[in-house]
Structures are given as structure tokens and as C-alpha cells.
Amino acid sequence: MQGQANLTAAREARKRAELDAQLLANRIALLKQEEEKAWKKIEETKKRAAEIVKLREQNEQKFSAKEQFYKQKWESIRNAQAQNAQQREKAKAIREQTRHGLMEQKLLNAQTTKQQSQHMLLQKKEREAAERQANLERSSYLKQRKDEAKRRMEEERMAQLEKYREDYEARAAQEEMLRARTDALVAKMEKEEMELIQRLQNTQTVQRNAYEELEAALGQTSQQISSSRGPKTEPRPAA
């Protein structure tokens, strides 16, 4: 009995030891899983931090580039304003010089214009006199040409009338000849028509006589066939 009790106690002790070992193994596995999860989170955190740093650097670069762009743009605007101011001053000086020059040129132009007007007035009078003389000559020339053209037109009209008269007489003679030919042709065609009508009537009479003879012959043949056959007998029904 003592040996049996010792064996049972040893078995129970072994089972407790195995259970403890299994529990310890489970805790170790859980600890390893937690450690692996922690390292994954650490890697993800490092990766996210690197991305944030990279994004911050990119934003800083963009901001720096934008700031540099606006700085250059402002410098360009200031330079353009300065150049515009210089150009305005220069244009103002040029306008002053031009205004003085225009005043002098205006006076000179007025004198020149007055002289030109007097010269042009003299030329106008001379031109008007020449034009009046030319108009007189042109009127005389045109009247002469008009009279000559009128005479030629009258001659051409008379010649045309004579030509029309000759053409009319020629056409009248030709129409008369064509009418005579047409009348002769119509008379010939009417004669031919009457002959054809007579021939058709004769042909119809011959055709009608032939039909009557055929009908008579067919009637006689039918009577002969009927008399030669005798009375008909009814067929005997099959047994």
C-alpha cells in the first residue's frame, strides 16, 4: 500500500509539473507574441516618423521655394516700377521737347501753308480756265461724234430693215413650199389610209367566212361520230 501511494503521489506530482510546464510554455508563447507585436509597432512608428520627417522636409522645401519665388517676384515688381518711373520722366522730357518743337513747327507750317494756299489758288484758277477750254473742245467733239453715230445708226437701221424684208420674203416662200409638200403628203397618207381600211374590211370578211366554214365542218363531224358509236352502256360495277 505504501508503494502504491508513493506511485500515485509521484504521478500526481508529474502531472502538476507537466501542467506547470504547459502553462509556462503558453505564457512564454504569449510573451513572444507580444514582443513581436511590439517590434512591429516600433517599426511602423519609425516608418511613420520617417514619413512625417520626409513630408516636413518637403513642405519646408516647398515653402522655401515659394518664399524665394515671391521674393524674386517682388524684386521684379520693384525693378519694373523703378524702370517705369524712369521711363515716365524720360517721356515727360521728350514731351516737353516735342511741345516746343511742335510750336516752332506749327508756326513754320502755318507760313508754309499760307504760301501753298496762295500757290494752289493760282493753280486752281489756271486749272479751271484750262478745264473750261477743254470742256468746250470736248463738247464740240462729242457733238460731232454723236451726229456721226446717229447717221451710222440710221444707215444700219435701213440696211437691217432691207435685210429683214428679204429674209421675210425668203421665209414666206420656204413656208409656202413646205405647206405644199405637207398637203401632198397628207393627201397621199389619206389615200393610203382608205386603202388600208378597205383591205382590213376584206380581210375581216374572209376571216369571218373561214370561221363559219370551220364551225359547219366541226358540227357535221360531231354528228357522224355520235351516230357511229351508238347508245352508251353503263359500266358494270366490280365484284
Side-chain angles (χ1 to χ4, degrees):
M1 295 295 292
Q2 184 65 34
Q4 184 68 29
N6 290 334
L7 179 60
T8 302
R11 187 180 293 113
E12 292 295 330
R14 180 181 60 77
K15 289 181 178 180
R16 286 195 298 272
E18 290 178 351
L19 180 61
D20 292 338
Q22 184 64 38
L23 292 174
L24 181 60
N26 292 337
R27 289 197 298 273
I28 290 172
L30 289 173
L31 290 173
K32 288 182 178 180
Q33 291 179 0
E34 292 297 328
E35 183 182 13
E36 185 176 357
K37 290 180 180 179
W39 277 110
K40 287 182 178 180
K41 289 183 178 180
I42 290 171
E43 294 295 330
E44 292 177 356
T45 303
K46 287 182 178 180
K47 183 178 180 181
R48 181 60 179 167
E51 292 177 352
I52 292 172
V53 171
K54 184 177 180 182
L55 181 62
R56 185 185 299 115
E57 290 177 351
Q58 291 177 352
N59 291 334
E60 289 177 355
Q61 291 177 358
K62 290 181 180 179
F63 178 78
S64 177
K66 186 180 292 184
E67 185 178 7
Q68 184 65 25
F69 170 76
Y70 284 116
K71 183 178 179 181
Q72 292 177 354
K73 187 174 181 180
W74 175 246
E75 290 293 333
S76 176
I77 291 173
R78 287 195 302 177
N79 292 332
Q81 289 176 347
Q83 291 180 359
N84 290 335
Q86 292 177 0
Q87 290 179 357
R88 283 195 298 271
E89 292 296 330
K90 185 177 180 180
K92 183 178 179 181
I94 292 173
R95 285 196 300 272
E96 289 294 331
Q97 293 178 0
T98 303
R99 187 172 64 83
H100 291 296
L102 288 174
M103 292 294 294
E104 294 177 357
Q105 186 66 33
K106 188 176 180 180
L107 293 174
L108 180 60
N109 289 340
Q111 295 176 358
T112 304
T113 303
K114 185 177 180 180
Q115 295 176 358
Q116 290 178 350
S117 297
Q118 294 175 353
H119 183 66
M120 290 175 63
L121 181 60
L122 180 60
Q123 288 182 342
K124 182 180 179 182
K125 291 180 179 180
E126 294 176 352
R127 186 171 60 253
E128 288 176 350
E131 288 178 354
R132 284 193 297 270
Q133 181 63 28
N135 288 333
L136 290 174
E137 295 177 356
R138 185 166 57 253
S139 297
S140 177
Y141 174 74
L142 291 176
K143 186 176 181 301
Q144 182 181 358
R145 291 289 301 276
K146 185 177 180 180
D147 294 338
E148 184 179 354
K150 185 177 181 181
R151 180 180 57 78
R152 285 201 304 269
M153 287 177 62
E154 183 65 21
E155 292 176 354
E156 291 175 357
R157 188 179 68 84
M158 295 302 295
Q160 191 69 27
L161 288 174
E162 181 64 21
K163 182 179 179 182
Y164 287 161
R165 187 184 62 78
E166 293 175 356
D167 291 343
Y168 175 77
E169 292 178 355
R171 285 199 301 270
Q174 185 177 7
E175 290 294 334
E176 183 64 24
M177 179 183 67
L178 293 175
R179 186 189 62 78
R181 288 182 181 177
T182 303
D183 291 342
L185 180 61
V186 169
K188 181 179 179 182
M189 292 174 67
E190 289 176 348
K191 182 179 179 181
E192 184 178 0
E193 181 184 16
M194 293 302 295
E195 292 175 355
L196 289 173
I197 291 172
Q198 186 63 41
R199 286 165 58 185
L200 179 61
Q201 290 175 352
N202 295 335
T203 302
Q204 290 175 348
T205 301
V206 172
Q207 185 179 9
R208 188 166 52 252
N209 294 334
Y211 283 158
E212 291 175 355
E213 292 176 0
L214 178 61
E215 289 176 357
L218 290 174
Q220 292 177 1
T221 303
S222 298
Q223 291 177 0
Q224 292 175 0
I225 292 173
S226 297
S227 59
S228 63
R229 286 183 179 179
K232 295 182 179 179
T233 58
E234 293 294 331
R236 182 178 296 177

